[in-house]
Amino acid sequence: MELKRLGVLSVAKLEAIIMALFGLVEGLFIGALGTVTVSMPMYRQSPWGTLGFLAVIVLPIVFGILGFVFGALGAFVYNLIAEWVGGIEMEFKK
């Protein structure tokens, strides 16, 4: 079997969700780092606590948007190239 075309919108939606999850993980990491940093006496006046909190909200949104855009672009480019050289050959087991 050969994968000839990808649904651009379906790939974009899937990639947006996957990247938003990665953004959430990174946001949680930055949030935890900000919490630890703010608890240190030398960094008490640091904006890391606020930035860490914002990272948990902003990064999943930004990663999701970028995932959607680049997922759609990647599927579109795949469809163009697959017309020229053929799609990906796949073998399925029954």
Side-chain angles (χ1 to χ4, degrees):
M1 297 180 85
E2 185 176 317
L3 179 61
K4 294 185 181 213
R5 291 192 60 75
L6 295 172
V8 173
L9 188 59
S10 65
V11 172
K13 289 188 293 187
L14 183 66
E15 189 67 20
I17 292 169
I18 291 169
M19 291 306 294
L21 290 173
F22 279 122
L24 178 61
V25 169
E26 188 169 338
L28 289 171
F29 177 74
I30 291 173
L33 184 64
T35 302
V36 170
T37 303
V38 169
S39 68
M40 295 177 178
M42 64 184 130
Y43 293 116
R44 279 205 208 259
Q45 301 302 322
S46 158
W48 277 105
T50 305
L51 291 175
F53 174 72
L54 288 174
V56 175
I57 297 169
V58 172
L59 286 180
I61 294 169
V62 171
F63 277 41
I65 291 169
L66 291 174
F68 184 88
V69 169
F70 286 106
L73 183 62
F76 178 75
V77 170
Y78 174 84
N79 290 339
L80 289 177
I81 293 174
E83 287 181 18
W84 295 337
V85 298
I88 296 173
E89 290 184 23
M90 300 182 309
E91 185 175 319
F92 295 97
K93 186 176 180 180
K94 221 174 187 184

